Amino acid sequence: MARAKARRARRPKASERSAASEAVGEARQRRVEEAAAMSQRLRVLMALWMALSVQALASAGRLCRTWRDKATGTAGKLAAAASGHKKMLFRLSIIVLLVTLAMVNVCVFKTCWAARRIWEDSTAQEIERLQQAASELRAQLDCYQTPDWALQSFGEDTGRQALLPCASPRLRPLALISSPIITGATIDTRRTSPIYELRSWFSRHCFWCSVNPPDTILQPGVSLGECWPMEGQQGQVVIRLRAKIRPSCVTLEHITPEMTPSGTASSAPRDVAVFGLDADSEEEVPLVSFTFDVGEGPTQTFLLKNNHSRAFRYIKVLVKSNWGHPRYTCLYRVQVHGKVVKTEDHRTAESLNG
């Protein structure tokens, strides 16, 4: 019972219940209104956001289109520039190629021209050398076909062969029957170096020991000791020829080194010069200078450079040095070849005929 009273005491009164209900309803109504107001605001904000989003999207679209147009224009410009650069590079490549081809052609042309000039020069030099060799061969052939005018003894056949081409028709019979028309060559001792003298006691008291005279070089025969020894390493000999001739070549003979007891030819002449002399004057006309090489052979022929085609009766052989012998220089034989001057032959023949 006490419990019931307590429950009754704890139960609210009707007025209290109605007031509480109204308070609850009002609170609920407020919440509903607040919720409606919040929803309205949300709808407004959503609409505003949607509007702003649409505007932003439109602006972004416009901006994207602008950027796209700018990018397209820039890409087009870049493509045009790249195409222009490509064309320029292509043109430059063509120009460089053409210039390179032109330079290659110029180099090839210069090389061919230089090779042609070298070939022409070498060919010209070879032709000149061959012509000179042929001229020397012809001169040597002519030289060998002419007699030795420095020979001391003049035979009958040699005299006829030398005189017949130059003799006039009136004197030809005399040339055919006369052998001593021209005398032999001689040595001009006045203008010739002294003979080497043996200075030993035995040689001075030996009556059969003698030294060959200078005219030994005018006689054929080249044996050991058949020479003329001149004093010292330098000297000269002047030969009076058998006739006044136009000299073409001179021949020197010496024994080989193997023929000497020592195995050397130190007394042989080395540097030699040949001059043409006139009988009435001391004028010396240089004809040739040469080196007598003992290793080339015992007989050596040298062509004379008689540019003026002058005729001489005297020939001077000047020995400038020998191959090392300190006391004397040996000459074994000297030959002088050339053609006789016709006027000299006429005077000689006419004087003999008279």
Side-chain angles (χ1 to χ4, degrees):
M1 188 170 199
R3 292 179 180 177
K5 287 181 179 181
R7 282 193 299 267
R8 283 195 299 272
R10 285 194 298 267
R11 289 179 181 175
K13 295 180 179 181
S15 59
E16 292 176 355
R17 286 196 297 268
S18 59
S21 298
E22 290 177 0
V24 171
E26 290 177 358
R28 185 178 295 173
Q29 185 66 30
R30 283 194 300 272
R31 286 195 296 271
V32 169
E33 290 176 356
E34 289 176 358
M38 184 63 70
S39 177
Q40 184 65 28
R41 286 195 296 272
L42 289 175
R43 284 194 295 270
V44 172
L45 291 175
M46 184 64 69
L48 181 60
W49 180 80
M50 289 295 292
L52 292 174
S53 297
V54 171
Q55 187 177 1
L57 289 174
S59 299
R62 288 194 299 271
L63 184 60
C64 288
R65 284 193 297 271
T66 303
W67 288 351
R68 184 187 62 188
D69 295 339
K70 290 182 178 181
T72 303
T74 304
K77 292 179 180 178
L78 291 176
S83 178
H85 285 302
K86 287 182 180 179
K87 292 180 180 179
M88 186 178 296
L89 289 175
F90 179 74
R91 293 173 182 173
L92 288 176
S93 300
I94 296 296
I95 293 173
V96 170
L97 181 60
L98 292 177
V99 171
T100 304
L101 291 176
M103 293 177 65
V104 170
N105 290 330
V106 170
C107 292
V108 170
F109 176 75
K110 288 183 177 180
T111 304
C112 294
W113 183 259
R116 179 183 176 184
R117 291 294 301 272
I118 293 173
W119 179 80
E120 289 179 352
D121 294 340
S122 61
T123 304
Q125 292 177 359
E126 187 67 19
I127 291 175
E128 184 179 358
R129 187 182 66 82
L130 291 175
Q131 290 178 350
Q132 184 177 1
S135 177
E136 290 180 357
L137 287 176
R138 286 194 298 269
Q140 289 182 0
L141 181 61
D142 296 339
C143 175
Y144 294 146
Q145 290 178 351
T146 57
D148 175 20
W149 295 99
L151 189 63
Q152 189 176 32
S153 60
F154 190 66
E156 181 179 355
D157 294 336
T158 306
R160 290 175 179 176
Q161 293 176 3
L163 189 60
L164 277 174
C166 303
S168 61
R170 184 171 62 87
L171 299 177
R172 193 175 296 274
L174 180 61
L176 289 173
I177 63 175
S178 179
S179 60
I181 293 179
I182 303 177
T183 59
T186 58
I187 298 294
D188 187 351
T189 57
R190 183 176 59 88
R191 293 182 286 184
T192 300
S193 298
I195 305 174
Y196 173 73
E197 296 181 359
L198 300 175
R199 294 180 175 85
S200 64
W201 179 88
F202 177 77
S203 60
R204 287 198 300 268
H205 295 81
C206 179
F207 61 88
W208 66 85
C209 297
S210 62
V211 180
N212 295 325
D215 58 359
T216 305
I217 66 175
L218 308 180
Q219 302 171 7
V222 184
S223 300
L224 182 61
E226 293 183 354
C227 67
W228 168 59
M230 69 172 65
E231 185 78 25
Q233 294 180 333
Q234 300 176 353
Q236 66 181 29
V237 58
V238 177
I239 304 172
R240 183 182 184 275
L241 304 176
R242 294 176 292 181
K244 192 172 184 179
I245 66 169
R246 292 188 180 93
S248 58
C249 62
V250 63
T251 301
L252 261 64
E253 295 186 30
H254 198 275
I255 59 174
T256 59
E258 292 77 10
M259 297 176 61
T260 62
S262 61
T264 60
S266 60
S267 63
R270 183 171 184 173
D271 296 323
V272 182
V274 179
F275 300 88
L277 305 179
D278 292 330
D280 301 331
S281 65
E282 295 296 331
E283 180 186 4
E284 297 183 354
V285 179
L287 300 178
V288 69
S289 295
F290 57 87
T291 299
F292 184 84
D293 190 356
V294 293
E296 294 294 332
T299 303
Q300 299 178 29
T301 301
F302 304 93
L303 299 178
L304 304 182
K305 300 177 182 179
N306 191 6
N307 299 326
H308 301 286
S309 298
R310 293 181 57 178
F312 302 98
R313 187 64 184 269
Y314 292 87
I315 294 295
K316 173 183 174 181
V317 179
L318 175 64
V319 177
K320 299 179 180 180
S321 63
N322 62 12
W323 285 92
H325 202 288
R327 294 190 301 272
Y328 58 84
T329 302
C330 288
L331 290 179
Y332 274 80
R333 188 180 179 187
V334 177
Q335 302 179 40
V336 180
H337 301 271
K339 295 182 179 180
V340 183
V341 179
K342 182 182 292 187
T343 56
E344 181 71 17
D345 289 342
H346 284 178
R347 287 196 296 269
T348 304
E350 288 176 357
S351 64
L352 291 175
N353 191 25

